[in-house]
């Protein structure tokens, strides 16, 4: 089985701040990480590698610095890494990104494509499903667990807020994976040193069969109309009281607001 | 302070920090209080290739270098001095001498499982009457046919009981003094070899420190490490490398205490302001950090010289001397800045202060390191 995991390099939003004037992310000095849902997707692939001998490739589209997350993926145990990088891809929205990734995936010919559910910087959850659409692959999103059945099928659990579906899906297919599905392994020390001895394949627009008019900023139909930060509320009231009195005040306030 | 590391070492640091926060720090307090050897952590370290960092892949290692190994001991020791010394004794004192002095067959048989972490290693030089004066070995090894028969005892042996493989020094010819000392690879379970009393210690309390007893313990002659009579040289070279590991342990303990103190002084208020607002606190912290950074540069210098195959024994002694005394000073100040709370077990700094002390004693006391450094100056 050949698995390709799509991973995105994102700013660690637990450390990100928003510029109150422009409403945009301040990315300076913020560490970059593998998007958490993608890391869970990679762990899912690596478990399949451990149990079935599958091979695992990781695919990322991004600037040259995105190489860092691919090295990390190799250090966790991925076999192969492909970076899709070209200035002409700059400014791509989910449509242009998914077309580009779909083209790279056509070259890679995977039995199973795993994406994270969504990226913590954009939060759209669109790229995985769009890639599946471009490739004509069956899609299951919000996957919570999976196991292979024979050579050609997977039994997957699709999670909902209040329940789940168990589905049988035929490969090749694309799944989007939830962060809480597993606890990703650490990189290993040998994996880290090996990761820097392995090549990272880099593809530019010229290596892919995408229409140049469909990519980058000009190929991106999405326009951000407005982005805003929720205004900070008033400081609130501070009571210097003992815990018993504190509990009483909280209950009283909740009652006043008809919350309880 | 880590900006000068290259990309692989930076990535290793990222992995180590993840690992330590999840696997090591939450257990450090119990490991100390219950004098519990952290077996499950050692198993996890083996799974992630941390038990053989500086050895090549063909010998089961991670294919890294001594700098990488130093980073690992430092990061582990920031949270738990016990875990740091387990790795240091295993790697520097047992696996390294086999890698550096062993035959190909010895490497295949003994180094590979050690580097993979399937086996744990220990090193036995110290005896009741031979501490700083390590040349005064009383344990004997007598050649009988295809075996050497060991008699005598060792004390203060780190990892004893949990280790599978022991590097043991013994006299093959008492008449020859240090040239009569030989090194042997002794396996757990050898008839006539047993573990004696376990020490109750001030610090690194989760680390096992025990007596080894040899009574007519016959080991195969092929387990002689290096040449007969070459054991003292093996031991001294091994300790040169080991001192880098202990220096890294001391460095980690010092930095761990600083990190805990920085967090504490921002929280704790007296006289209506956080302790961090007092200039004394600020100046103390600056001195603690600058000293620790200086120690770090000495430790990395020694590791990098070893990696470059340059002589490093004086640099290793200097690193261990300065890092261990820094650890003692910094942890003492950390307790002081915590006030009465720092003296209690509720905060980790009293443990770090107890753990720091041993780094001035084992693998050559600070006095011995001063001898090594000054001897090179006065040569
Ligand atoms: C927790 C722990 C773990 C250990 N692990 C190991 C291990 O794994 N393997 C192993 O072989 N050993 C181990 N040791 C032993 C350790 O290396 C020795 O304790 C150390 O070398 C000091 O020897 P000693 O205890 O006999 O002290 P002594 O040699 O009696 O020294 C006492 C004091 O006298 C000073 N002194 C001695 N000679 C001189 C001199 N000529 N000039 C000036 N001052 C001098 C020393 O510096 C020291 O301050 C361990 C010890 C401990 C406590
Ligand atoms: C074992 C033990 C027994 C004790 N027994 C008693 C007892 O019997 N009765 C009793 O009343 N108390 C007792 N104490 C409390 C003890 O007196 C206090 O711990 C001590 O006064 C320090 O106060 P603190 O712990 O709150 O530290 P803090 O006041 O928080 O001090 C922490 C650090 O900040 C520094 N600092 C604080 N203020 C300043 C400043 N203005 N400028 C510069 N630096 C500053 C301190 O010097 C210290 O280094 C005991 C404590 C212990 C640990």
């Amino acid at each position: 089985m050949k698995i390709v995991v799509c991973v995105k390099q994102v700013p660690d939003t637990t450390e990100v701040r928003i510029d109150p004037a422009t409403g945009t992310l301040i990315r300076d000095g913020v560490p970059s990480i593998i998007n958490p849902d993608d890391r869970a997707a990679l762990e899912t692939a690596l478990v399949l590698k451990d149990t079935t001998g599958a091979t695992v490739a990781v695919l990322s589209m991004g600037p040259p610095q995105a190489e860092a997350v691919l090295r990390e993926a190799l250090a966790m145990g991925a076999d192969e890494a492909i970076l899709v990088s070209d200035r002409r891809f700059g400014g791509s929205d989910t449509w242009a990104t998914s077309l580009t990734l779909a083209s790279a995936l056509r070259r890679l010919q995977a039995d199973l494509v795993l994406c994270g559910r969504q990226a913590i910087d954009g939060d759209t959850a669109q790229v995985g499903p769009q890639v599946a659409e471009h490739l004509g692959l069956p899609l299951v999103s919000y996957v919570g667990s999976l196991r292979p059945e024979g050579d050609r099928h997977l039994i997957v659990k699709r999670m909902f807020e209040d329940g789940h579906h168990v589905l049988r899906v035929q490969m090749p297919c694309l799944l989007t994976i939830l962060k809480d599905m597993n606890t990703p392994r650490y990189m290993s020390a040998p994996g880290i040193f090996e990761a820097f001895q392995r090549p990272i394949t880099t593809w530019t627009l010229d290596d892919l069969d995408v229409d140049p008019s469909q990519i980058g900023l000009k190929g991106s139909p999405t326009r951000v109309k407005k982005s805003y930060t929720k205004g900070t509320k008033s400081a609130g009231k501070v009571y210097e009281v003992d815990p018993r009195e504190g509990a009483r005040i909280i209950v009283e306030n909740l009652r006043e607001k008809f919350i309880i | 302070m880590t900006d000068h590391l290259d990309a692989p070492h930076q990535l290793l640091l990222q992995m180590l920090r993840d690992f330590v926060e999840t696997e090591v720090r939450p257990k450090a307090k119990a490991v100390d209080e219950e004098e519990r050897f952290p077996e499950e952590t050692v198993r996890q370290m083996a799974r992630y290739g941390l038990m053989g960092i500086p050895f090549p892949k063909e010998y089961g290692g991670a294919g890294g270098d001594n700098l990488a190994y130093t980073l690992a001991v430092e990061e582990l020791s920031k949270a738990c001095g016990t875990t740091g010394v387990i790795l240091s004794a295993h790697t520097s004192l047992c696996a390294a001498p086999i890698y550096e002095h062993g035959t190909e067959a010895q490497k295949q048989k003994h180094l590979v499982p050690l580097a993979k972490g399937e086996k744990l290693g220990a090193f036995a030089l110290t005896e009741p009457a031979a501490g700083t004066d390590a040349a005064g070995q009383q344990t004997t090894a007598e050649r009988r046919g295809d075996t050497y028969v060991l008699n005598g005892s060792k004390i203060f042996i780190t990892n004893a009981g949990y280790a599978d493989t022991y590097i043991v020094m013994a006299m093959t010819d008492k008449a020859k003094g240090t040239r009569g000392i030989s090194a042997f690879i002794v396996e757990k379970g050898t008839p006539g070899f047993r573990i004696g009393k376990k020490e109750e210690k001030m610090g690194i309390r989760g680390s096992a420190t025990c007596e080894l007893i040899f009574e007519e313990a016959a080991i195969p002659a092929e387990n002689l490490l290096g040449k007969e009579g070459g054991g003292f040289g093996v031991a001294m070279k091994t300790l040169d490398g080991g001192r880098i590991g202990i220096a890294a342990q001391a460095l980690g303990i010092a930095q761990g205490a600083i990190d805990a103190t920085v967090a504490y002084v921002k929280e704790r208020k007296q006289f209506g302001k956080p302790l961090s607002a007092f200039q004394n606190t600020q100046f103390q912290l600056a001195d603690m950090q600058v000293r620790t950074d200086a120690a770090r540069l000495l430790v990395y210098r020694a590791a990098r010289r070893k990696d470059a195959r340059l002589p490093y024994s004086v640099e290793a002694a200097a690193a261990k001397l300065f890092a261990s005394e820094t650890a003692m000073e910094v942890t003492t100040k950390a307790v002081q800045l915590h006030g009465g709370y720092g003296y209690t077990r509720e905060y980790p700094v009293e443990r770090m202060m107890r753990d720091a002390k041993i780094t001035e004693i084992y693998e050559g006391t600070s006095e011995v390191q001063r001898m090594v450094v000054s001897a090179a100056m006065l040569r």
Side-chain angles (χ1 to χ4, degrees):
Chain A
M1 190 195 316
K2 179 169 177 182
I3 308 173
V4 178
V5 185
C6 299
V7 299
K8 182 178 185 187
Q9 185 182 43
V10 294
D12 188 349
T13 50
T14 56
E15 303 202 17
V16 110
R17 284 161 304 132
I18 296 195
D19 184 334
T22 62
T24 54
L25 300 178
I26 304 171
R27 292 187 187 228
D28 279 355
V30 177
S32 293
I33 56 168
I34 298 183
N35 179 51
D37 283 337
D38 306 356
R39 186 187 284 276
L42 177 58
E43 175 64 24
T44 306
L46 293 173
V47 170
L48 285 172
K49 175 180 170 174
D50 294 342
T51 52
T52 71
T55 63
V56 177
V58 281
L59 169 65
S60 189
M61 171 176 159
Q65 305 88 283
E67 183 190 313
V69 295
L70 293 176
R71 297 269 181 224
E72 193 175 335
L74 289 172
M76 285 170 73
D79 302 294
E80 192 192 344
I82 303 100
L83 177 64
V84 175
S85 189
D86 194 315
R87 292 190 75 98
R88 290 171 284 180
F89 294 138
S92 291
D93 68 358
T94 60
W95 170 261
T97 300
S98 60
L99 271 177
T100 310
L101 288 175
S103 169
L105 285 161
R106 263 193 298 277
R107 272 191 77 163
L108 289 168
Q109 289 293 328
D111 301 296
L112 176 61
V113 180
L114 298 179
C115 294
R117 171 198 46 178
Q118 69 191 51
I120 55 174
D121 57 350
D123 274 333
T124 69
Q126 291 168 357
V127 170
Q130 287 178 358
V131 169
E133 202 61 28
H134 295 314
L135 295 174
L137 290 179
L139 161 76
V140 184
S141 53
Y142 292 76
V143 169
S145 69
L146 65 84
R147 64 183 163 81
E149 189 196 65
D151 279 351
R152 302 270 21 119
H153 294 88
L154 295 169
I155 306 294
V156 307
K157 207 185 219 183
R158 176 166 59 190
M159 308 307 290
F160 294 94
E161 251 167 49
D162 55 352
H164 65 260
H165 286 166
V166 176
L167 304 169
R168 181 165 173 274
V169 54
Q170 187 177 336
M171 292 188 279
C173 62
L174 187 148
L175 313 178
T176 76
I177 305 289
L178 296 176
K179 172 176 94 222
D180 300 330
M181 169 166 179
N182 53 41
T183 308
R185 66 196 62 192
Y186 306 103
M187 293 176 263
S188 75
I192 288 167
F193 294 109
E194 219 175 276
F196 286 90
Q197 285 153 12
R198 292 229 230 118
I200 286 184
T201 309
T202 305
W203 288 340
T204 66
L205 178 60
D206 306 326
D207 298 300
L208 301 178
D209 61 353
V210 273
D211 175 353
S213 71
Q214 300 268 309
I215 54 117
L217 194 58
K218 64 180 185 307
S220 294
T222 313
R223 290 287 169 267
V224 178
K225 229 174 125 190
K226 182 174 176 224
S227 74
Y228 60 95
T229 320
K230 282 190 202 160
T232 41
K233 294 186 186 143
S234 65
K237 260 190 219 150
V238 179
Y239 299 88
E240 301 260 1
V241 294
D242 66 27
R244 181 171 292 276
E245 175 63 5
R248 197 194 57 75
I249 295 171
I250 291 170
V251 170
E252 189 185 286
N253 273 282
L254 291 173
R255 285 226 175 90
E256 265 173 25
K257 297 200 158 68
F258 301 104
I259 294 169
I260 53 173
Chain B
M1 231 357 235
T2 55
D3 299 347
H4 57 290
L5 295 174
D6 63 11
H9 290 91
Q10 295 271 9
L11 198 59
L12 179 70
L13 213 48
Q14 184 186 327
M15 175 267 169
L16 288 164
R17 287 180 179 164
D18 269 4
F19 183 87
V20 167
E21 287 316 308
T22 316
E23 310 291 335
V24 182
R25 191 181 301 282
K27 295 182 188 138
K29 185 174 156 71
V31 160
D32 173 63
E33 281 179 4
E34 297 160 20
E35 299 190 290
R36 185 163 64 74
F37 187 91
E39 280 182 278
E40 65 293 347
T41 309
V42 174
R43 267 196 299 278
Q44 284 286 73
M45 282 160 55
R47 176 178 171 200
Y48 289 102
L50 298 178
M51 301 303 281
I53 294 174
F55 309 111
K57 288 234 160 79
E58 63 262 38
Y59 294 123
D65 54 17
N66 287 286
L67 182 62
Y69 156 64
T70 301
L71 295 175
V73 177
E74 180 184 345
E75 290 303 317
L76 294 170
S77 304
K78 277 186 190 174
C80 177
T82 285
T83 310
V85 74
I86 292 170
L87 180 63
S88 186
H90 166 86
T91 308
S92 286
L93 300 188
C94 185
I98 298 174
Y99 177 56
E100 284 163 22
H101 306 279
T103 62
E104 187 54 33
Q106 287 172 335
K107 289 181 201 177
Q108 290 303 336
K109 181 162 182 213
H110 301 288
L111 176 58
V112 170
L114 285 166
K116 285 185 176 168
E118 292 162 1
K119 289 190 172 175
L120 187 69
F123 170 85
L125 173 68
T126 305
E127 297 184 1
T132 300
D133 184 13
Q137 297 281 307
Q138 302 294 316
T139 299
T140 57
E142 189 191 323
R143 177 89 195 218
R144 280 186 219 157
D146 286 347
T147 65
Y148 284 94
V149 179
L150 269 61
N151 279 291
S153 72
K154 299 283 171 183
I155 48 160
F156 297 146
I157 306 310
T158 301
N159 290 347
Y162 295 92
D164 308 279
T165 308
Y166 298 76
I167 307 295
V168 179
M169 305 299 148
M171 280 282 185
T172 37
D173 188 347
K174 278 201 165 172
K176 288 193 182 152
T178 54
R179 280 160 206 267
I181 299 172
S182 302
F184 299 93
I185 304 168
V186 179
E187 290 180 273
K188 178 184 191 162
T190 301
F193 165 39
R194 64 188 168 86
I195 308 297
K197 176 176 154 255
K198 184 179 174 213
E199 303 296 339
E200 292 174 346
K201 304 191 297 291
M202 168 182 176
I204 56 162
R205 284 159 45 92
S207 144
T209 311
C210 313
E211 185 183 17
L212 307 185
I213 298 162
F214 301 96
E215 290 160 331
E216 293 290 297
I219 58 163
E222 66 192 32
N223 283 15
L224 173 70
L225 182 63
K227 291 198 179 67
E228 200 178 283
F232 197 68
V234 170
M236 292 303 115
K237 275 201 186 134
T238 300
L239 288 176
D240 284 344
R243 284 168 190 161
I244 300 176
I246 299 308
Q249 184 200 19
L251 183 59
I253 294 170
Q255 190 62 57
I258 293 173
D259 295 347
T261 306
V262 166
Y264 184 80
V265 298
K266 288 200 246 177
E267 292 290 323
R268 169 74 172 167
K269 284 200 176 115
Q270 287 289 274
F271 301 97
K273 26 182 168 174
L275 298 181
S276 59
F278 299 117
Q279 195 179 51
N280 180 59
T281 308
Q282 297 159 2
F283 284 10
Q284 295 288 342
L285 283 173
D287 288 346
M288 289 156 76
Q289 189 60 63
V290 171
R291 240 198 110 140
T292 302
D293 284 351
R296 184 173 286 113
L297 291 176
L298 287 175
V299 178
Y300 291 2
R301 174 180 74 162
R304 287 187 157 125
R305 284 185 71 90
K306 184 165 192 207
D307 285 330
R309 297 177 194 283
L310 293 167
Y312 66 91
S313 100
V314 179
E315 289 78 5
K320 188 197 173 253
L321 173 62
F322 192 73
S324 60
E325 295 194 345
T326 295
M328 202 60 240
E329 185 183 311
V330 163
T331 53
T332 307
K333 286 185 167 177
V335 171
Q336 187 66 19
L337 286 172
H338 276 71
Y341 300 92
Y343 194 73
T344 69
R345 299 233 167 144
E346 203 180 320
Y347 289 88
V349 286
E350 63 82 27
R351 164 168 55 83
M352 292 169 170
M353 184 175 163
R354 288 185 284 106
D355 285 356
K357 185 62 210 173
I358 189 61
T359 65
E360 295 182 319
I361 296 172
Y362 56 18
E363 302 201 28
T365 60
S366 288
E367 291 73 19
V368 169
Q369 312 310 329
R370 288 188 166 89
M371 289 178 205
V372 174
V373 172
S374 60
M377 295 165 70
L378 300 172
R379 202 158 32 210

